[in-house]
């Protein structure tokens, strides 16, 4: 087992060149946000935007449009009922699916569309409801994506892997991941007080930082967006995902110095400043 370190941020987060334009930093689509959980996909979108993704689109329930654009005018909106969803998925570098998605028949249909339309050129980040839907029907897994990143908390992983939380050892988690996704194109980011990351080839990495102030609703949604944003601009490597996980906790630790509770939206807010700092050290 290896600890993720700050040095990885200096390696992954590079200084932007003067001839930059938005297309150079990736296209990302985030899918989620049912009638009752619009905040989840908005927080995830905020994570992606503030992590530096070049072009960000959010497919969500139409009732979330006003809130999304009031908070994030940088993100394009798509009504997730729209037939254009399939075409939009095909155009993206990264798809983050699951925050606030829910367990409805429509959510299942969206998972079917994602599975059908994603390709080996894309990275798919699966979180929250997407993982719960797959735990009920393994055929919904978009295994044809070039790279898969699963970001469950321990209870979601219990439902998906059938390993009860006390028995989620590293060896058991690796075996379950390999059984679920036999190819080595998947990573498991198993969220806990010290998140463990399994890269699909047997490598185990642990995030040594983070704090109890981060035990707040929406924290995982924000992390999924940050991972998506990092992958969109820095590429779908193990190091990129690890850097996103570490950056999320580092921002939380910075806020925890003088905040009893760390809000996910505040983590997203400090990302650009932190990323600027580490880009100067690269």
């Amino acid at each position: 087992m290896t600890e993720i370190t700050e040095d990885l941020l200096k390696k992954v987060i590079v200084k932007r060149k003067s001839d930059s334009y938005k297309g150079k930093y990736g296209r990302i689509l985030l899918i989620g946000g049912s009638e009752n959980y619009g905040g989840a996909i908005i927080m995830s979108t905020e994570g992606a935007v503030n992590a530096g993704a070049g072009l960000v689109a959010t497919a969500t329930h139409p009732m979330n449009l006003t809130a999304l654009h009031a908070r994030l005018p940088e993100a394009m909106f798509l009504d997730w009922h729209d037939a254009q969803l399939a075409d939009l998925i095909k155009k993206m570098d990264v798809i983050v699916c699951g925050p606030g998605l829910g367990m409805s028949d429509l959510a299942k249909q969206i998972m079917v569309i994602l599975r059908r339309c994603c390709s080996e050129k894309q990275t798919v980040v699966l979180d929250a409801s997407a993982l719960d839907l797959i735990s009920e029907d393994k055929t919904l897994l978009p295994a044809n994506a070039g790279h898969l990143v699963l970001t469950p908390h321990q209870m979601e992983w219990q439902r998906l892997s059938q390993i009860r939380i006390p028995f989620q050892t590293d060896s058991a988690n690796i075996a379950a991941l390999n059984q679920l996704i036999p190819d080595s194109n998947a990573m498991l980011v198993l969220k806990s007080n010290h998140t463990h990351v399994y890269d699909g080839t047997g490598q185990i990495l642990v995030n040594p930082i983070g704090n109890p102030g981060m035990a707040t609703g929406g924290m995982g949604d924000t992390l999924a967006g940050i991972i998506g944003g990092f992958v969109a601009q820095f590429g779908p490597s193990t190091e990129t995902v690890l850097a996103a996980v570490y950056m999320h906790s580092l921002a939380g630790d910075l806020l925890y110095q003088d905040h009893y509770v760390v809000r996910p939206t505040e983590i997203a807010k400090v990302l650009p400043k932190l990323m600027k700092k580490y880009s100067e050290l690269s």
Side-chain angles (χ1 to χ4, degrees), residues 233-244:
Q233 64 188 308
F234 301 127
S237 69
T238 298
E239 289 182 337
T240 299
V241 175
L242 295 175

Side-chain angles (χ1 to χ4, degrees), residues 4 10 28 46-47 85 93 102 124 133 150 152 172 179 183-184 196 205 209 223 232 240 250 258 264:
I4 310 168
K10 304 172 190 176
I28 179 172
E46 196 163 36
L85 178 60
D93 301 306
V124 176
L133 287 164
L150 281 57
Q179 182 176 11
D183 298 328
S184 60
H196 281 56
L205 302 110
I209 61 174
L223 174 59
T240 299
L250 183 65
D258 53 9

